[in-house]
Amino acid sequence: MKRLMSLITIVALLLSVAIAGEMDKSKQIPTRDEIDEQYRWNLADIYPTTDAWEKDYAYVESKIDHLKKYKGRLIKSKNLEKCLKESEELEKKLDLLYVSSHLLKDQDTKNTTSQALAGRIASMNQQFYQERAFLWPEIQEIPTKKLSQLVEQSDYLKQYEHAFDDMVRQKEHILSEREEELLSMAGQMGSEFSNIREALTQADIEFPKVKDDDGDMIELSYGRYSALLQSKDPEIRRGAFKGMYGTFDKFKNTSAATYRGSIKKDIFYAKARGYDSCIEMALDGDNVPVEVYDNLITTVHEYMEPLHRYMNLRKKIMGVDELHLYDTSVPITAESEVKYTYEEAVDIILKALEVMGPEYQANAKMALSSRWVDVYETRNKRSGAYSWGAYGVHPYILMNFNGTRNSVFTLIHELGHSLHSFYTNKNQPYPTANYSLFVAEVASTFNENLLMNYMLQTLKDKDEKLSLLDQWADNLQGTLYTQVLFAEFEREAHSLAEQGIPLTVEKLSDTYMNILKSYYEGVLEIDDEYALTWSRIPHFYRQFYVYKYATSICASTDLSKKVIDGEEGALDKYMAFLSSGSSDYPIELLKKAGVDISTPEPIASTLQLFDSIITQMEELIEE
Ligand SMILES: [Zn+2]
């Protein structure tokens, strides 16, 4: 009986492969007309016709140079209010024109009509912000006391209270008009370091040929590198690693000089603006104290044990005693074969969002089924996924939904962004409706956590469960451990340069290697070539930025746990956060949401969760 069964299964399998194969040959990416209307976003919600778009465009064009009349007169009573009001009216229209033309372009990147619209609005945008360039420097010159008086007298200006406060806070770092002009001229030179790096590592770089899984010699590239590291064959992974790092080794002196230059640029600006250090300047933009950054690194170092257990688990599943860093991208669980239709995905998402209460759930349902989403891949559509919108209209979601579990996670991630925008736009006036990057990824990863929690509770299949836990652990390793490792290197490199220690290849490499070893020594084989990783990471040219990935994931993990556990008041606080836009500083907004990211607790609780995920994986494997 058993034998017969398996034969039938084999025949059925072969049949489905044959059908799939045939379908693939004839299967073309559909055009937009071939996709049912309900699965296409409805851009008519922004502008019902091209004429309506043109009418707004003409309106902005006719008004664009009107703001000039306020130049030099903002301090006069009522002028500030009038100028900001007029500017806001045009900005809102510009946003709508800009977003609608870009959404139209992204749905069919080869469409020349939408390309032309996008081009026209881009240059009008530039013109507008040039005409309006006087606004904020001039507000800055209004004495603080006078500014408070103006705000006191006008309900409209109260909407700008936080923005004014933020400006006054940073005033001591703003220089004279001539000095600012010089800094801005120097900025054009300073930005070249990142361009040099890009030219070197994208255009001039030449990769060797390496062996792939079919035994063919293929030219290495960045895209192929990550694919080759997932090969089951250790020799192929090793070959790709040697090819990549061997290439970077050839121009390591140029890389060091370029990075050194970039750090010297950071030091120049920090000194010119009167900051004690580069890190202090970089974090000041979000009003984040340096202790938050230091705290993050210290706390992660207290949780190396679960990371080592994760690596050991990998060894066990892969059946090896020795694991190199370049072996850690190999998937250790079989890829899930479960496929979801869009309707099933929506259904699962709504169930996962049950803990958010009926109102949020209803809004999620509306977002997913009222043509906010452009669901499927169509010919010449932009790849990937995003959530985007403008004030005054609901947000839109671009998807390339393909039915995989990953696609369902992407959908709930983008939905998190969209509902954050939706609630913020509903509750905030325009000046405080734009939330900062520091909090942007909280709502999206919060929703991913809810889906993870729901799927783990409902999935019965052991392998599915294991692969889901692995996805979660891998995600936390990448956004928390790895980004904090990078953040630590940035802090070290800047600190060395600030002490006047020359950043030679050796110094940078030793510094990177020491930090890398503090994470993985004793559990992974760390090949010497990895010391050069500092030369491969483009993010280092945007100083002290990657730590935000780590703080976001810790905030969202902590907050979602509180909501899932039904902690009293947790949901109300989180909903208030979604509605709060940029009405306060990011750390304050998160505090109101129920998490104090300036303390070690949320970081520790996220790392404890990582620990428990590893324990669950260990138990499943033991079974
Ligand atoms: Zn996102």
Side-chain angles (χ1 to χ4, degrees):
M1 186 66 184
K2 208 177 166 201
R3 169 118 192 109
L4 188 67
M5 277 288 284
S6 61
L7 255 177
I8 292 171
T9 320
I10 289 168
V11 172
L13 261 173
L14 282 174
L15 203 68
S16 68
V17 168
I19 291 168
E22 257 197 25
M23 271 179 59
D24 266 342
K25 258 182 261 162
S26 62
K27 201 172 144 193
Q28 280 194 331
I29 299 166
T31 60
R32 296 192 69 75
D33 303 344
E34 290 167 321
I35 299 286
D36 223 30
E37 192 180 75
Q38 57 172 316
Y39 301 116
R40 284 182 280 145
W41 56 24
N42 186 10
L43 298 185
D45 288 346
I46 315 181
Y47 289 111
T49 58
T50 322
D51 282 351
W53 192 95
E54 290 292 354
K55 205 176 139 208
D56 258 7
Y57 183 91
Y59 181 82
V60 178
E61 196 173 35
S62 71
K63 296 261 178 177
I64 209 159
D65 59 357
H66 282 203
L67 290 176
K68 268 199 297 226
K69 64 174 181 278
Y70 296 106
K71 201 174 170 194
R73 301 172 54 224
L74 287 184
I75 196 165
K76 293 227 175 75
S77 154
K78 289 286 165 197
N79 274 356
L80 180 61
E81 182 175 328
K82 278 199 226 153
C83 179
L84 282 169
K85 265 187 185 161
E86 280 182 37
S87 169
E88 189 183 311
E89 191 207 6
L90 297 183
E91 270 179 88
K92 280 185 191 163
K93 283 196 192 302
L94 274 167
D95 288 354
L96 290 169
L97 290 163
Y98 190 89
V99 170
S100 62
S101 67
H102 278 78
L103 294 175
L104 197 64
K105 193 175 92 164
D106 287 348
Q107 73 179 29
D108 181 358
T109 53
K110 292 232 165 112
N111 183 307
T112 46
T113 316
S114 55
Q115 276 172 12
L117 292 182
R120 278 167 64 202
I121 197 64
S123 59
M124 184 187 262
N125 232 1
Q126 204 185 4
Q127 196 197 339
F128 172 78
Y129 286 102
Q130 255 167 26
E131 295 277 353
R132 214 201 62 168
F134 71 92
L135 181 68
W136 283 93
E138 202 173 314
I139 297 176
Q140 222 152 43
E141 278 173 19
I142 302 176
T144 313
K145 217 171 158 188
K146 171 81 185 170
L147 192 60
S148 319
Q149 277 170 5
L150 290 173
V151 170
E152 225 18 75
Q153 290 156 5
S154 150
D155 280 340
Y156 176 77
L157 287 181
K158 282 199 180 75
Q159 300 175 8
Y160 283 88
E161 205 169 4
H162 176 65
F164 292 159
D165 189 57
D166 198 23
M167 184 197 73
V168 170
R169 180 182 69 80
Q170 297 183 72
K171 217 171 182 173
E172 58 173 311
H173 302 291
I174 305 291
L175 309 178
S176 72
E177 202 180 332
R178 177 64 184 150
E179 285 168 329
E180 282 294 330
E181 202 182 332
L182 287 173
L183 282 193
S184 135
M185 280 155 70
Q188 291 169 25
M189 280 188 287
S191 62
E192 288 301 322
F193 293 109
S194 156
N195 294 338
I196 296 169
R197 185 207 173 266
E198 179 135 344
L200 182 69
T201 59
Q202 301 291 336
D204 292 345
I205 201 163
E206 271 181 39
F207 287 115
K209 287 193 167 161
V210 295
K211 203 185 266 181
D212 73 358
D213 271 317
D214 300 325
D216 297 328
M217 294 301 283
I218 53 162
E219 194 183 320
L220 189 61
S221 68
Y222 294 110
R224 283 173 174 173
Y225 180 61
S226 38
L228 290 166
L229 287 189
Q230 293 184 21
S231 164
K232 298 266 181 226
D233 182 346
E235 276 314 303
I236 288 178
R237 300 194 296 265
R238 188 178 168 74
F241 159 69
K242 291 275 177 193
M244 178 58 72
Y245 278 81
T247 308
F248 272 84
D249 187 68
K250 284 183 192 151
F251 49 74
K252 59 188 173 195
N253 292 298
T254 310
S255 292
T258 314
Y259 187 45
R260 195 160 59 228
S262 176
I263 290 187
K264 282 186 178 165
K265 171 206 73 184
D266 298 338
I267 294 176
F268 165 76
Y269 279 107
K271 279 192 177 161
R273 294 203 176 280
Y275 285 98
D276 287 337
S277 63
C278 298
I279 190 169
E280 198 188 303
M281 179 175 75
L283 270 55
D284 197 39
D286 288 319
N287 199 19
V288 171
V290 176
E291 296 83 72
V292 173
Y293 197 94
D294 294 338
N295 239 333
L296 179 67
I297 295 172
T298 312
T299 312
V300 165
H301 273 282
E302 284 163 15
Y303 288 85
M304 288 301 157
E305 193 264 348
L307 179 65
H308 290 186
R309 274 171 39 229
Y310 185 35
M311 295 301 111
N312 283 328
L313 200 62
R314 284 190 159 270
K315 284 187 199 166
K316 196 170 176 183
I317 296 173
M318 289 168 77
V320 294
D321 296 327
E322 220 182 54
L323 196 69
H324 291 257
L325 199 50
Y326 53 77
D327 295 325
T328 54
S329 305
V330 184
I332 50 170
T333 50
E335 205 185 313
S336 168
E337 281 174 9
V338 184
K339 288 272 184 180
Y340 305 86
T341 63
Y342 182 70
E343 281 68 24
E344 284 166 345
V346 170
D347 197 45
I348 288 169
I349 286 173
L350 293 178
K351 281 189 182 130
L353 293 174
E354 226 156 65
V355 289
M356 297 297 291
E359 194 221 295
Y360 184 96
Q361 230 185 347
N363 286 324
K365 192 174 179 183
M366 170 172 72
L368 295 174
S369 51
S370 316
R371 301 186 59 200
W372 295 18
V373 187
D374 206 65
V375 180
Y376 297 110
E377 184 184 9
T378 50
R379 215 171 289 171
N380 303 323
K381 180 173 158 179
R382 187 190 195 277
S383 62
Y386 64 63
S387 160
W388 201 16
Y391 199 75
V393 68
H394 62 76
Y396 286 86
I397 295 176
L398 179 133
M399 284 291 297
N400 280 277
F401 185 82
N402 62 8
T404 57
R405 195 176 70 201
N406 247 336
S407 250
V408 187
F409 271 91
T410 306
L411 185 59
I412 201 168
H413 178 107
E414 301 307 338
L415 177 69
H417 285 307
S418 276
L419 289 182
H420 189 183
S421 303
F422 172 77
Y423 278 105
T424 279
N425 289 353
K426 210 168 109 179
N427 292 287
Q428 294 294 325
Y430 182 76
T432 48
N434 238 336
Y435 47 82
S436 75
L437 207 72
F438 196 94
V439 297
E441 288 304 332
V442 173
S444 53
T445 50
F446 178 101
N447 275 9
E448 281 191 62
N449 288 338
L450 295 190
L451 180 59
M452 187 60 81
N453 182 64
Y454 173 77
M455 278 192 167
L456 283 173
Q457 274 179 4
T458 47
L459 275 180
K460 295 279 176 282
D461 184 75
K462 183 184 141 187
D463 288 341
E464 280 286 320
K465 233 176 183 166
L466 193 61
S467 104
L468 204 57
L469 287 166
D470 184 38
Q471 176 189 325
W472 204 359
D474 191 56
N475 190 10
L476 283 171
Q477 188 195 350
T479 39
L480 190 46
Y481 287 103
T482 306
Q483 301 305 330
V484 171
L485 193 165
F486 289 164
E488 191 172 352
F489 170 75
E490 275 188 90
R491 189 182 65 176
E492 271 310 294
H494 279 82
S495 160
L496 288 168
E498 280 163 342
Q499 294 166 51
I501 296 167
L503 293 181
T504 57
V505 172
E506 290 69 32
K507 195 74 210 165
L508 287 165
S509 298
D510 284 351
T511 305
Y512 190 85
M513 198 51 148
N514 284 335
I515 299 171
L516 182 64
K517 280 185 174 163
S518 71
Y519 279 70
Y520 293 109
E521 192 164 45
V523 67
L524 290 182
E525 305 300 316
I526 305 167
D527 302 70
D528 292 342
E529 290 93 326
Y530 272 111
L532 279 179
T533 305
W534 57 266
S535 65
R536 283 193 52 221
I537 309 296
H539 298 81
F540 289 158
Y541 284 74
R542 191 172 165 190
Q543 61 163 346
F544 302 111
Y545 153 76
V546 296
Y547 84 102
K548 293 182 198 179
Y549 292 116
T551 49
S552 296
I553 197 86
C554 291
S556 72
T557 305
D558 195 71
L559 290 170
S560 59
K561 191 176 176 299
K562 285 174 179 157
V563 169
I564 291 167
D565 292 349
E567 210 183 282
E568 209 189 320
L571 180 60
D572 289 343
K573 281 193 220 163
Y574 180 70
M575 291 304 291
F577 161 75
L578 290 184
S579 305
S580 64
S582 54
S583 56
D584 206 339
Y585 297 110
I587 290 193
E588 297 308 314
L589 292 175
L590 288 173
K591 265 188 207 161
K592 287 178 206 163
V595 60
D596 187 353
I597 204 74
S598 65
T599 67
E601 278 80 34
I603 300 146
S605 84
T606 306
L607 291 156
Q608 282 153 16
L609 173 84
F610 178 77
D611 191 332
S612 85
I613 295 167
I614 306 305
T615 308
Q616 290 176 64
M617 288 178 76
E618 286 165 342
E619 284 166 3
L620 274 176
I621 287 165
E622 284 302 316
E623 264 176 27

